[in-house]
Amino acid sequence: MTFLSRALLILGTILLSHACYSAYEHASLISSVPSARRPSSSSVPATKSFTPPSTALPLDISIETVVSVVLICVGLVMGAEQLKPISWRVWAGQAEIESGGGGPFQGLEDRVGFMDIRVRNRFLDLRVMDTRKGGG
């Protein structure tokens, strides 16, 4: 990773943690304030209802969060390795060389297409003969 990508990652992480802490403090402040400011039911006329203050995050916390996420994404992209070209021909050639000439799908090519059920009968005959001889 280059110096610039690490610096962006560190700055973005610090900003994101600060935005999280600010959102936590804002939520704790909002949860404690309305109960103290809520008017008594006798002082508020029946036609008007009490509406608590807005609980939405302030704009500066939202902007700080978005900026920090963008900085983290840019830092990750800048620090990533170069992408390698995708080529089936190259991959299959390397896999064939590594497997000793069989290729990546050799297991599929070697399997039996249909099972011969007569082979099962031979195994059953061998088992019957083995039990007659006194084997297990």
Side-chain angles (χ1 to χ4, degrees), residues 1-62:
M1 260 195 223
T2 64
F3 174 75
L4 182 61
S5 66
R6 285 184 190 226
L8 286 175
L9 280 173
I10 291 171
L11 180 64
T13 304
I14 290 171
L15 284 177
L16 185 62
S17 61
H18 181 264
C20 291
Y21 180 73
S22 298
Y24 169 76
E25 286 295 319
H26 176 72
S28 65
L29 180 68
I30 289 297
S31 66
S32 65
V33 170
S35 62
R37 290 190 181 173
R38 181 167 288 164
S40 63
S41 59
S42 62
S43 65
V44 177
T47 58
K48 293 185 179 180
S49 64
F50 174 74
T51 57
S54 174
T55 58
L57 280 176
L59 186 61
D60 61 335
I61 297 175
S62 301

Side-chain angles (χ1 to χ4, degrees), residues 24 31 44 73-74 93 96-97 101 104 125-126 128 136:
Y24 169 76
S31 66
V44 177
C73 289
V74 168
E96 188 170 342
I97 290 170
D125 291 340
L126 289 174
V128 170

